[in-house]
Amino acid sequence: MSDVTITVRGQSEERIAPERATIRVSVRAEGAERATVVEHALQLSEPLRAGLVARADAATIVEWSSKRLSVRAERPWNAEGKRLSPVYYATVDFTATFSEASELSIWVSEISAWEGLEIGWVDWHLTPETRARVEREVAADAVGVAVTRAEAYAGALGRSSVVPIEIADVGLISSGQQPPQVTEFKARGAAFAAADAGPSMEYEPDEIVVSATVEARFSAS
């Protein structure tokens, strides 16, 4: 009896709570005089920078960074179609990574009403070590699913053993109808509007979904 080739797909998924939250905060100032706008932006940025330094020293944040001041000018039009004098905009962007959602809530509540502050999205993520470990585990589990499925097919055909021939990401073995897939890490962010900020903010981030899909080809005998 000749061998039979079996091609299967294995999938696995794991949900895990985020370990880190990276938030972006921007300080903005605008006005008619470039030097005044720049000075105002730097003044608004200083208490934010000082607070981040203090939190880093206290180990309540993992890391933080700020981009250098950027300045641009625009000349708006009035209702009569006339170009007006330039308006200058100055921006300083900050990012900070927290290891505790509660500490992030406290910090955002403290700064949300500050002048010129815009609070952006939060990126919930894992540490590199955890991400690498979970990726390996999920990929290995996906391969195990493929093996189990191949053995089930072989048993249904009256074959007693399967031998792996190929294993690859989705699309690398099949006919190419689907693009290759890689392990995915998904987490929803959270947005904060300073104008609507209440006295406190609390966050319960969604779990991060880690998934892997593989294709495998076996010889059953």
Side-chain angles (χ1 to χ4, degrees), residues 196-213:
D196 299 327
S200 64
M201 296 182 182
E202 295 185 3
Y203 309 102
E204 294 185 4
D206 291 343
E207 292 180 320
I208 293 175
V209 179
V210 185
S211 62
T213 303

Side-chain angles (χ1 to χ4, degrees), residues 6-131:
I6 299 175
T7 303
V8 295
R9 180 174 296 174
Q11 297 173 308
S12 180
E13 179 180 290
E14 183 174 340
R15 296 176 179 269
I16 185 169
E19 299 173 301
R20 298 285 187 267
T22 299
I23 185 171
R24 176 173 175 171
V25 178
S26 298
V27 175
R28 305 184 188 279
E30 63 179 80
E33 298 293 333
R34 187 182 190 280
T36 302
V37 171
V38 169
E39 182 179 359
H40 191 203
L42 293 176
Q43 289 175 347
L44 295 175
S45 299
E46 189 51 39
L48 185 63
R49 188 186 305 276
L52 289 172
V53 170
R55 286 184 174 274
D57 291 342
T60 57
I61 61 174
V62 178
E63 61 181 1
W64 71 277
S65 64
S66 67
K67 295 182 179 179
R68 64 182 182 180
L69 177 76
S70 62
V71 184
R72 63 183 176 86
E74 293 183 2
R75 294 191 63 185
W77 300 82
N78 64 11
E80 288 74 33
K82 180 181 178 180
R83 293 294 292 271
L84 303 178
S85 299
V87 177
Y88 294 92
Y89 301 87
T91 304
V92 182
D93 293 324
F94 292 83
T95 59
T97 300
F98 290 76
S99 58
E100 296 289 341
S102 59
E103 289 294 335
L104 173 63
S105 300
I106 293 171
W107 184 68
V108 171
S109 297
E110 289 177 355
I111 69 172
S112 59
W114 290 7
E115 179 187 354
L117 209 65
E118 293 185 9
I119 301 174
W121 288 90
V122 175
D123 174 29
W124 302 98
H125 53 99
L126 304 172
T127 63
E129 295 78 14
T130 298
R131 183 174 64 184

Side-chain angles (χ1 to χ4, degrees), residues 124-145:
W124 302 98
H125 53 99
L126 304 172
T127 63
E129 295 78 14
T130 298
R131 183 174 64 184
R133 175 182 59 79
V134 175
E135 182 177 350
R136 289 195 302 269
E137 292 173 353
V138 172
D141 191 51
V143 173
V145 170

Side-chain angles (χ1 to χ4, degrees), residues 170-208:
V170 174
L172 299 183
I173 289 181
S174 65
S175 60
Q177 297 300 311
Q178 291 181 304
Q181 297 180 12
V182 295
T183 303
E184 295 180 282
F185 294 84
K186 301 176 181 178
R188 293 181 182 175
F192 311 98
D196 299 327
S200 64
M201 296 182 182
E202 295 185 3
Y203 309 102
E204 294 185 4
D206 291 343
E207 292 180 320
I208 293 175

